[in-house]
Amino acid sequence: MATNTTKKIIYIPLEDLDSEHCALIVEKGLAKITGIETQKVELNNHRAAITVKSNETVGNAVKAIKDLGYSVPTVKNTFPVLGMTCASCAGSAESIVTYELGVVGASVNFATGNLSVEYLPNLTNAVKLQKAVQAVGYDLLIVDETKQQESLEVIHAEKFKNLKDKTIWAIILSLPVVTIGMFFMDMPYANEIMWFFSTPVVLWLGKDFFINAWKQTKHRSANMDTLVALSTGIAYLFSVFNMLFMDFWHQRGLHAHVYFEAAAVVIAFILLGKLLEEKAKGNTSSAIKKLMGLQPKTVMVIQPDGTEKQVAIEDVSVDDIILVKPGEKIAVDGMVISGNSYVDESMLSGEPVPVLKVENEKVFAGTINQKGSFQFKAVKVGKETMLAQIIKMVQDAQGSKAPVQKLVDKIAGIFVPIVIGIAIITFLLWFFLGGENAIAQALLAAVTVLVIACPCALGLATPTAIMVGVGKGAENGILIKDAESLEMARKVTAIVLDKTGTITEGRPQVTGIKWLNDENTTKEILLSIEKQSEHPLAEAVVKNLDNVSTVVLSHFDSITGKGAKGIYRDETYFVGNKKLLTENNISIANTLLNQADQWGKESKTVIWFANSKEALSVIAISDKIKETSVEAIKQLQDMGIELYMLTGDNQATAKAIAKQTGIKHYKAEVLPQHKADFVKELQQQGKIVAMVGDGINDSTALATADVSIAMGKGSDIAMDVAKMTIISSDLTKIPQAIRLSKQTVATIKQNLFWAFIYNLIGIPLAAGILYPINGFLLNPMIAGAAMALSSVSVVSNSLRLKWKK
């Protein structure tokens, strides 16, 4: 692809640029990038002005700025690409978009048919990208996101129907050609009849191959259509010449063969292969179709006057009151305000047991109401619902490329020119060494080489397996953010588990309070401090003291990883762990100390309440271990994975939890910032580390780990950072995810092996490598069938993943 070599001044908008020092850092970073001739950061305009020759340098500049910790406002979008016929097409479309001015990154996935693109909105837009793609013979579907899937389904259905019609007609018209060519060559007008039947197959039913090949040639590119058009076109024209000018060969003492059956049958087989491939590819995306089918088209909204009105899903607004009857699907995310029922959430979480929903409980779009009726208030609608976000995440993951795909893309990009080169060499060798019928054999061998070569099998090997793997994960409540994490999960050798909300339920409850003396005077102060704290343990104390009144504190301060303190009537009070009391030289009475030790042995979390001199009370908080945690930990250890539990709790509690769950390695009293340090420590020992967490305090460690897994009932930040999300927060899903990763990568390796072996064996066979040994020459018709089946076999192998446990 030629790049534009004229110098351009490009303006890159910048965010989080607060000082000249920041501007200098960005300028120095840009100066290191090859291709940028001048660079200047305009602090007042919040932009960087760079002079570049090549458009792709802009993408490198944006990546460099982001790596330095500054933001660049870019737009990320996914557009269906229309008109692609093979893996090489995906490469052509990706190249043309990548070289567009303002594009930061672009990736075209042949299996999903989608372009994922990130661009600077001040330099380009969807329409400009569409025009660039149209210039190389493809198109982008640009419609409103809510209608995109429906439009795409209509286009795909129409395309599939046309392909089916063409395939049926190609087979019907090819049958007499094959019959005559194989058994009745000596009948009168045999050549003319074969010409009559093969012409519509080649020139009408196969015209798209020639049109697309011409478009590619105009842009000095080549794809599978080029191979099909060259092979069938040569065979057809050679046959027409031989039929009309038989004397040309007879005068030279040679027989004039025609190969109409080869041209017609190759097109029929390739159309059949494409039809089967489209059908199979449709099955690989069945998971996303199932998810999309979960949302109802209409809902029953309760009007302000109390009447019921049926409205379209697009017209539902936040705060609308929606009525759900037995057996109906819930349309949007919301909060139950009246009534109760059991709701089947298995389609989102993979958990088969229905969940009881009462007042103030959350409900999610796509889940199914069981027997009762209830009303709920819409909280999230449209793209904001959990179902919509899951669909988006699954689509993005299915469209992302695994690291191994980058090498395959490079091979697919040069595959067609290499095959054409091999075909030319094959022709020349046969022409000079082929004896009396050299030219016919040379053409036939060259045509067979062109027909049997299949870049599609290579192009489909990785993405189809990723699509099925990600889809299967989604169906089981395991959301995988990208192909890279799906590929990496199988290599994990160590897993770091946060305790609260990961191993335990994450719903702590106060199970005991022991006071030093008369507690009534300070209960109100304890409640007032805990009400201002955001810690989950504080919430448990607040619930326990719900009948106590509060006081006004003159000062409150949260102490990360230790607790909180507040000042009331000039006296300082502390709530937190033992370390907080020790650091402030607060004495602890033996009665409280003995009670704390006893609770610690029972795996209860202990928190202290004290004034500036002495501990006033000790509180026991218990967070129940999830029923599935012990089983999950056993499964992971059986897989040979080392497990480490990190908790902010004291040593006694951590030891008790570790003993109950069977975890051998644990660390107590770990501060949030030290979790990431511990992950790095394990990585430095050569371990591939997965971090599992659910809270804001886990986000740094999640970002540091090789594979990050968030619990779905945790914080949005944890889920945003993590590469995998377990919707149900069930730890047994983690060994499932690792097994899925192993199965997916094994399938990719099998697919690539067969795709490479097929081409490595097929192309030399087609060229006639066995002819000097045993006189074997491959028939172009057989080559066409083999080529068609190679793609189908790769997609079918990927589909086997669906039925693996």
Side-chain angles (χ1 to χ4, degrees):
M1 186 72 64
T3 57
N4 194 338
T5 53
T6 55
K7 290 183 188 177
K8 306 184 192 79
I9 295 177
I10 304 294
Y11 295 102
I12 300 174
L14 301 173
E15 289 176 348
D16 308 326
L17 208 68
D18 303 321
S19 64
E20 282 294 348
H21 177 65
C22 296
L24 198 63
I25 291 169
V26 174
E27 250 177 52
K28 281 181 180 174
L30 291 172
K32 293 175 186 172
I33 297 170
T34 311
I36 294 180
E37 299 198 0
T38 65
Q39 65 283 329
K40 184 188 176 192
V41 175
E42 301 171 0
L43 182 63
N44 294 337
N45 294 327
H46 287 275
R47 67 183 188 182
I50 58 172
T51 310
V52 296
K53 279 185 180 178
S54 165
N55 292 345
E56 59 189 316
T57 311
V58 178
N60 296 337
V62 171
K63 283 169 192 161
I65 293 166
K66 286 183 175 180
D67 286 344
L68 290 167
Y70 302 97
S71 299
V72 178
T74 58
V75 174
K76 286 183 180 177
N77 238 321
T78 302
F79 302 108
V81 184
L82 308 177
M84 291 196 298
T85 56
C86 75
S88 299
C89 300
S92 300
E94 188 175 302
S95 296
I96 199 78
V97 174
T98 304
Y99 284 102
E100 264 299 289
L101 182 64
V103 170
V104 176
S107 168
V108 175
N109 188 312
F110 175 50
T112 59
N114 285 340
L115 158 71
S116 299
V117 62
E118 183 181 2
Y119 59 87
L120 293 164
N122 61 316
L123 294 177
T124 191
N125 55 46
V127 176
K128 284 183 183 175
L129 297 177
Q130 185 185 38
K131 284 176 181 168
V133 171
Q134 284 170 341
V136 283
Y138 313 110
D139 200 359
L140 289 187
L141 179 66
I142 301 173
V143 291
D144 178 38
E145 207 168 302
T146 53
K147 294 173 186 169
Q148 191 180 78
Q149 194 59 33
E150 288 175 27
S151 309
L152 197 56
E153 279 177 11
V154 170
I155 290 167
H156 280 324
E158 189 64 32
K159 181 185 171 187
F160 189 78
K161 184 181 176 295
N162 288 340
L163 190 55
K164 193 176 178 181
D165 292 344
K166 280 182 181 179
T167 306
I168 292 167
W169 275 109
I171 291 167
I172 291 167
L173 293 171
S174 297
L175 279 172
V177 185
V178 176
T179 309
I180 294 168
M182 294 181 83
F183 306 110
F184 304 106
M185 272 304 290
D186 298 327
M187 68 181 272
Y189 301 108
N191 288 354
E192 285 78 0
I193 294 167
M194 286 195 292
W195 183 31
F196 175 78
F197 280 107
S198 63
T199 299
V201 177
V202 177
L203 301 183
W204 171 45
L205 300 170
K207 72 177 187 295
D208 287 342
F209 295 119
F210 297 95
I211 292 166
N212 293 336
W214 173 243
K215 284 177 182 174
Q216 292 294 314
T217 308
K218 282 197 295 186
H219 292 92
R220 295 177 190 172
S221 184
N223 64 6
M224 196 193 82
D225 293 323
T226 312
L227 299 180
V228 177
L230 273 174
S231 56
T232 55
I234 290 166
Y236 179 79
L237 292 173
F238 184 58
S239 301
V240 171
F241 178 85
N242 289 359
M243 182 185 70
L244 298 176
F245 304 103
M246 280 187 181
D247 290 347
F248 177 83
W249 300 109
H250 292 161
Q251 286 165 11
R252 289 161 176 76
L254 298 170
H255 182 64
H257 281 287
V258 293
Y259 299 100
F260 288 121
E261 79 280 6
V265 172
V266 162
I267 282 178
F269 270 136
I270 289 168
L271 286 171
L272 178 64
K274 278 187 168 295
L275 185 73
L276 294 171
E277 188 186 301
E278 283 295 321
K279 182 91 175 151
K281 271 163 64 181
N283 289 337
T284 61
S285 60
S286 62
I288 206 88
K289 287 176 186 165
K290 275 186 199 166
L291 286 169
M292 285 174 168
L294 291 175
Q295 198 169 38
K297 297 280 185 281
T298 59
V299 295
M300 195 65 75
V301 174
I302 307 291
Q303 301 297 297
D305 60 3
T307 57
E308 296 175 9
K309 185 185 177 186
Q310 197 168 49
V311 301
I313 184 77
E314 300 86 40
D315 299 329
V316 176
S317 305
V318 173
D319 292 337
D320 276 354
I321 307 298
I322 294 165
L323 173 67
V324 186
K325 293 175 184 173
E328 287 185 346
K329 286 176 183 171
I330 292 163
V332 294
D333 292 4
M335 186 80 76
V336 178
I337 55 167
S338 71
N340 62 74
S341 178
Y342 280 90
V343 174
D344 178 2
E345 295 185 344
S346 60
M347 57 291 300
L348 298 185
S349 65
E351 296 298 310
V353 182
V355 182
L356 177 63
K357 300 292 178 180
V358 294
E359 221 172 295
N360 295 326
E361 286 273 345
K362 289 179 183 175
V363 288
F364 300 102
T367 57
I368 301 169
N369 182 28
Q370 301 284 288
K371 292 176 182 172
S373 283
F374 61 87
Q375 291 181 12
F376 73 94
K377 184 192 280 190
V379 175
K380 289 180 179 177
V381 299
K383 285 193 254 178
E384 300 300 312
T385 66
M386 187 175 174
L387 177 65
Q389 287 172 343
I390 288 172
I391 290 169
K392 176 87 172 71
M393 197 186 277
V394 172
Q395 279 178 324
D396 289 349
Q398 287 186 336
S400 67
K401 290 189 179 182
V404 68
Q405 181 68 15
K406 287 164 188 165
L407 172 67
V408 177
D409 284 349
K410 281 181 185 173
I411 295 166
I414 57 168
F415 186 88
V416 175
I418 287 172
V419 170
I420 292 170
I422 293 169
I424 291 166
I425 293 165
T426 302
F427 176 84
L428 293 172
L429 286 170
W430 274 100
F431 185 78
F432 291 112
L433 306 172
E436 58 177 33
N437 220 2
I439 189 159
Q441 294 286 25
L443 273 169
L444 210 58
V447 162
T448 311
V449 167
L450 292 169
V451 168
I452 204 164
C454 184
C456 293
L458 279 174
L460 290 166
T462 307
T464 52
I466 294 290
M467 280 177 78
V468 177
V470 168
K472 189 178 176 184
E475 285 174 2
N476 287 286
I478 304 162
L479 281 189
I480 298 157
K481 201 177 266 186
D482 58 28
E484 193 171 346
S485 52
L486 180 61
E487 195 182 330
M488 178 64 83
R490 76 194 166 99
K491 298 178 183 173
V492 167
T493 55
I495 295 179
V496 177
L497 299 162
D498 172 51
K499 180 185 79 78
T500 308
T502 302
I503 294 172
T504 62
E505 296 275 7
R507 290 195 292 269
Q509 294 174 325
V510 172
T511 55
I513 302 180
K514 181 158 182 73
W515 294 89
L516 184 62
N517 42 48
D518 182 19
E519 77 275 17
N520 294 324
T521 55
T522 51
K523 250 187 190 177
E524 294 163 344
I525 300 165
L526 170 62
L527 178 64
S528 304
I529 293 172
E530 291 292 59
K531 266 204 164 167
Q532 292 193 46
S533 174
E534 292 174 354
H535 200 282
L537 297 182
E539 200 180 318
V541 176
V542 171
K543 274 187 188 170
N544 185 261
L545 301 175
D546 61 351
N547 58 345
V548 177
S549 56
T550 55
V551 295
V552 178
L553 302 173
S554 56
H555 179 77
F556 172 82
D557 191 12
S558 181
I559 305 160
T560 306
K562 292 171 191 170
K565 70 175 181 178
I567 297 174
Y568 178 68
R569 290 184 179 169
D570 298 330
E571 173 65 277
T572 304
Y573 293 88
F574 298 89
V575 184
N577 57 21
K578 195 175 174 186
K579 192 185 276 187
L580 180 66
L581 272 60
T582 309
E583 285 176 4
N584 289 280
N585 300 316
I586 294 166
S587 65
I588 302 172
N590 284 336
T591 52
L592 295 183
L593 210 53
N594 293 338
Q595 183 62 71
D597 289 344
Q598 177 61 37
W599 281 335
K601 286 171 188 168
E602 293 168 12
S603 78
K604 291 175 180 176
T605 301
V606 173
I607 61 170
W608 299 85
F609 174 50
N611 60 24
S612 57
K613 299 181 190 68
E614 63 179 353
L616 302 174
S617 77
V618 61
I619 304 159
I621 295 177
S622 180
D623 187 8
K624 196 176 156 196
I625 294 170
K626 289 178 195 167
E627 286 177 20
T628 53
S629 292
V630 178
E631 174 58 27
I633 286 160
K634 184 180 180 300
Q635 283 184 35
L636 290 165
Q637 286 173 337
D638 289 347
M639 291 166 91
I641 295 168
E642 287 180 16
L643 294 181
Y644 298 84
M645 181 182 78
L646 301 185
T647 176
D649 273 340
N650 61 53
Q651 191 72 24
T653 305
K655 186 179 178 181
I657 294 276
K659 191 178 177 184
Q660 285 178 42
T661 54
I663 292 175
K664 293 172 185 138
H665 312 283
Y666 61 90
K667 284 190 89 171
E669 298 179 14
V670 179
L671 296 175
Q673 61 267 34
H674 295 156
K675 288 182 181 178
D677 296 338
F678 184 71
V679 170
K680 280 182 195 163
E681 207 177 289
L682 292 176
Q683 286 170 330
Q684 280 160 8
Q685 292 168 25
K687 293 180 171 74
I688 305 292
V689 183
M691 170 73 198
V692 187
D694 75 321
I696 293 168
N697 59 356
D698 299 318
S699 55
T700 313
L702 286 166
T704 309
D706 300 293
V707 177
S708 45
I709 303 169
M711 292 287 130
K713 290 175 182 169
S715 72
D716 289 345
I717 292 174
M719 284 186 273
D720 195 45
V721 171
K723 291 295 176 74
M724 286 188 190
T725 300
I726 308 297
I727 299 173
S728 65
S729 296
D730 178 354
L731 274 183
T732 56
K733 300 286 182 187
I734 295 172
Q736 271 186 42
I738 292 169
R739 282 193 290 270
L740 180 63
S741 168
K742 286 178 178 174
Q743 289 167 354
T744 306
V745 172
T747 304
I748 290 171
K749 286 178 177 173
Q750 290 160 11
N751 286 350
L752 288 173
F753 173 79
W754 289 115
F756 276 112
I757 285 292
Y758 164 82
N759 285 300
L760 283 172
I761 294 173
I763 291 171
L765 271 182
I769 198 165
L770 293 179
Y771 187 75
I773 302 162
N774 59 10
F776 176 79
L777 277 175
L778 193 63
N779 188 311
M781 290 189 288
I782 306 297
M787 184 270 198
L789 285 171
S790 65
S791 296
V792 179
S793 63
V794 161
V795 180
S796 302
N797 190 44
S798 294
L799 285 169
R800 282 175 57 240
L801 257 177
K802 278 187 175 186
W803 297 286
K804 285 187 179 177
K805 288 190 176 179

